């Protein structure tokens, strides 16, 4: 479905805002003075946004061209109408010239054979005069419309000229950013051994987090089943109380509409398996999404629920697990926590401050689980 002008302009503003924010993140990362994966991911995100911005601006050009074409059709039609009006008016003037004197008009009336013919001739002269005046008004009105349409066309063509200049400027920036990205890639590929060590460490931390979550889920399911059994109920999977079921249904209903876990941020690493950004042929697995944000940013809950665990991962920092019925949201890594196990939290409630590592990278990791199944958080939070 084709997007309208206002939608394209809104999308353009959002992309420009994203690029500005990415530059802010890159400025923080650049303080470290050495190339990093975080810097590479942020550059890739900016390039992607820049390319989408150029595409959006090109779509605007298409709409402008359509507007120019439609306005030109109207202008051509008005010009033809003006020609016809002027031709008709020229005939009127010729006729008026032949009967230009008041004497001629008077004789035209008095030479009638009877009163009825004289009356009709008088009415004709009056109608002829009105018709001539109306033709003048039509010509003046049409000329006004033509002038207005010409002004509109000039304004539209100027906007197209300015937009084309902006697109050219964006292409220049894009080229510079791609060169910058390639330089970072080259630097990182020169540190292959170090990168592989970092990747192994990250994988190890991810596995520890995954095992910790699975142990907690298993324990919660065991306790819930025991409670259900004592109440005389037999349930498969994770037994839910009526309140928990309602909360779970509410969470499901809000898919794609959940708030972001930070006020501002960019998804720099997606869910699932994907190629390593700097190591050819190497795949990385992500159980959630990574969101780059600014130093000191506060992590907040994406939905109401209960803090069921605070996870300590050796060498990986702290994490928080919140249960929303049969769903879980998991947040890592915190520099400082504002909540503890057993706390009831509301949607957008502050949970703690995200950590900034030695590379000046400030990344929040978010996972969403449905019982023991890992889900793609990007499909659940609001798409900016």
């Amino acid at each position: 479905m084709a997007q309208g002008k206002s939608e394209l302009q809104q999308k353009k503003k959002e992309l420009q805002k994203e690029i500005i924010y990415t530059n802010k993140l890159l400025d923080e990362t650049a303080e470290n003075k050495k190339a990093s994966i975080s810097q590479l991911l942020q550059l890739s995100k900016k390039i992607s946004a820049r390319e989408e911005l150029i595409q959006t601006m090109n779509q605007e050009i298409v709409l402008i061209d359509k507007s120019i074409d439609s306005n030109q059709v109207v202008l051509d039609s008005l010009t033809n109408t003006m020609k016809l009006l002027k031709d008709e008016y020229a005939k009127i003037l010729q006729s008026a010239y032949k009967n230009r004197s008041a004497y001629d008009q008077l004789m035209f009336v008095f030479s009638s054979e009877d009163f009825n013919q004289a009356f009709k001739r008088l009415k004709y002269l009056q109608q002829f005069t009105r018709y001539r005046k109306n033709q003048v008004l039509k010509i003046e009105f049409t000329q006004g419309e033509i002038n207005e349409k010409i002004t509109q066309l000039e304004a539209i063509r100027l906007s197209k000229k300015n937009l084309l200049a902006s697109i050219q400027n964006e292409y220049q920036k894009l080229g510079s950013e791609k060169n910058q990205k390639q330089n970072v890639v080259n630097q990182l590929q020169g540190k292959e051994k170090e990168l592989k060590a970092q990747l192994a460490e990250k994988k190890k931390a991810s596995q520890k987090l995954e095992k910790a979550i699975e142990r907690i889920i298993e324990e919660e399911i065991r306790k819930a089943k025991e409670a259900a059994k004592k109440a005389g109920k037999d349930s498969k999977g994770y037994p839910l109380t009526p309140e928990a079921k309602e909360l779970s249904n509410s969470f499901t209903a809000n898919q794609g509409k959940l708030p972001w876990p930070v006020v501002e941020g960019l998804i720099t690493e997606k869910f699932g398996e994907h190629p390593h950004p700097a190591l050819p042929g190497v795949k990385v697995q992500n159980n959630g999404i990574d969101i780059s944000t600014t130093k000191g940013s506060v992590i907040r809950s994406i939905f109401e629920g209960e803090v069921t665990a605070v996870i300590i991962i050796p060498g990986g920092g702290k994490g928080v697990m919140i249960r929303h019925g049969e769903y879980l949201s998991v947040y890592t890594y915190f520099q400082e926590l504002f909540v503890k196990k057993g706390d009831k939290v509301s949607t957008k409630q502050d949970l703690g401050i995200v950590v900034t590592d030695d590379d000046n990278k400030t990344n929040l990791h978010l996972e969403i689980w449905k019982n023991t199944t890992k889900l793609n958080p990007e499909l659940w939070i609001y798409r900016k």
Side-chain angles (χ1 to χ4, degrees):
M1 183 177 173
Q3 290 179 297
K5 183 180 177 182
S6 60
E7 290 173 312
L8 288 173
Q9 288 179 338
Q10 180 60 34
K11 185 178 179 182
K12 188 167 71 172
K13 285 180 183 177
E14 290 170 359
L15 288 166
Q16 288 168 335
K17 184 180 176 182
E18 181 178 317
I19 289 169
I20 290 169
Y21 184 72
T22 310
N23 282 333
K24 185 178 178 182
L25 295 178
L26 282 165
D27 287 342
E28 287 187 1
T29 313
E31 290 176 13
N32 190 46
K33 304 296 182 185
K34 64 178 182 179
S36 66
I37 292 296
S38 181
Q39 184 183 17
L40 178 58
L41 291 170
Q42 288 164 7
L43 275 169
S44 297
K45 188 70 176 178
K46 185 165 74 161
I47 287 169
S48 176
R50 184 86 65 193
E51 288 173 337
E52 193 173 353
L53 175 61
I54 290 170
Q55 183 184 7
T56 302
M57 293 168 85
N58 279 321
Q59 287 175 319
E60 271 194 277
I61 291 291
V62 171
L63 286 183
I64 289 174
D65 283 338
K66 286 181 180 178
S67 180
I68 288 173
D69 290 344
S70 62
N71 276 279
Q72 188 62 55
V73 169
V74 173
L75 180 59
D76 291 343
S77 176
L78 288 169
T79 303
N80 290 334
T81 300
M82 175 64 87
K83 185 178 182 304
L84 291 173
L85 288 171
K86 285 184 175 180
D87 289 345
E88 289 177 15
Y89 190 64
K91 292 176 183 177
I92 292 170
L93 290 178
Q94 288 175 1
S95 177
Y97 181 79
K98 292 177 182 177
N99 302 284
R100 61 187 180 279
S101 69
Y103 175 77
D104 290 338
Q105 293 179 10
L106 196 62
M107 287 303 297
F108 176 66
V109 175
F110 283 125
S111 63
S112 304
E113 293 179 2
D114 52 36
F115 177 79
N116 284 337
Q117 190 181 54
F119 179 75
K120 288 179 180 178
R121 288 185 175 183
L122 181 63
K123 292 297 290 181
Y124 167 76
L125 289 172
Q126 289 172 345
Q127 289 172 354
F128 181 81
T129 302
R130 281 198 300 271
Y131 179 69
R132 187 174 63 182
K133 288 179 179 178
N134 283 338
Q135 284 297 102
V136 172
L137 290 174
K138 284 181 180 178
I139 289 171
E140 289 175 349
F141 178 77
T142 304
Q143 186 61 56
E145 285 191 309
I146 288 172
N147 293 339
E148 183 180 348
K149 194 57 63 178
I150 289 171
T151 302
Q152 286 178 0
L153 268 169
E154 287 175 349
I156 294 169
R157 287 189 176 115
L158 179 61
S159 70
K160 178 181 177 180
K161 182 181 177 181
N162 292 336
L163 188 55
L164 284 170
S166 296
I167 290 172
Q168 186 60 37
N169 186 41
E170 292 300 328
Y171 271 119
Q172 289 174 356
K173 289 178 181 177
L174 181 63
S176 175
E177 287 161 359
K178 284 185 174 179
N179 288 336
Q180 188 181 357
K181 178 185 174 181
Q182 190 57 51
N183 288 335
V184 173
V185 169
N186 292 340
Q187 290 180 55
L188 289 173
Q189 287 179 345
K191 301 188 293 183
E192 185 175 343
K193 188 176 179 181
E194 182 182 334
L195 286 180
K196 286 185 175 178
Q198 289 176 359
L199 184 59
E201 190 62 34
K202 185 176 180 180
K203 184 177 180 181
K204 188 177 176 182
S206 177
Q207 288 172 341
K208 286 180 180 178
L209 175 62
E210 185 175 359
K211 287 178 181 178
I213 293 169
E214 287 173 346
R215 281 197 300 269
I216 292 166
I217 292 172
E218 287 171 6
E219 182 62 17
E220 287 183 346
I221 291 174
R222 186 187 65 77
K223 288 180 178 178
K225 282 185 174 180
E226 283 182 0
K229 191 175 181 180
K230 285 180 182 178
K233 296 177 181 178
D234 188 20
S235 178
K236 294 180 180 180
Y238 185 83
L240 296 174
T241 64
E243 294 83 0
K245 189 172 183 179
E246 184 180 351
L247 183 62
S248 187
N249 291 338
S250 181
F251 191 92
T252 303
N254 278 280
Q255 183 173 359
K257 296 180 285 185
L258 297 174
W260 276 53
V262 282
V263 175
E264 283 189 299
L266 295 171
I267 296 174
T268 47
E269 193 166 346
K270 294 182 176 289
F271 175 81
E273 187 179 76
H274 46 272
H276 189 279
L279 297 174
V282 176
K283 298 281 187 179
V284 292
Q285 175 68 37
N286 195 349
N287 291 335
I289 57 173
D290 290 344
I291 299 174
S292 289
T293 186
T294 50
K295 293 179 183 177
S297 290
V298 174
I299 301 174
R300 58 189 189 173
S301 175
I302 60 172
F303 204 68
E304 63 179 298
E306 180 181 346
V307 178
T308 56
V310 172
I311 308 165
I312 307 296
I313 306 165
K318 298 176 182 177
V320 168
M321 180 188 292
I322 300 175
R323 181 165 284 285
H324 320 277
E326 61 183 336
Y327 292 94
L328 289 163
S329 57
V330 184
Y331 314 76
T332 56
Y333 296 99
F334 290 89
Q335 174 183 311
E336 182 181 350
L337 279 176
F338 303 153
V339 294
K340 62 184 182 301
K341 183 178 178 180
D343 285 353
K344 300 284 186 181
V345 296
S346 57
T347 304
K348 292 186 180 180
Q349 181 174 326
D350 293 345
L351 304 176
I353 299 172
V354 65
V355 72
T356 298
D357 66 15
D358 295 336
D359 289 331
N360 284 331
K361 177 183 72 177
T362 309
N363 269 13
L364 155 71
H365 179 74
L366 172 68
E367 295 183 14
I368 295 178
W369 294 56
K370 183 177 182 181
N371 292 325
T372 56
T373 303
K374 296 181 279 291
L375 305 175
N376 183 358
E378 196 171 352
L379 301 178
W380 288 82
I381 59 176
Y382 172 73
R383 293 192 177 190
K384 292 185 177 182

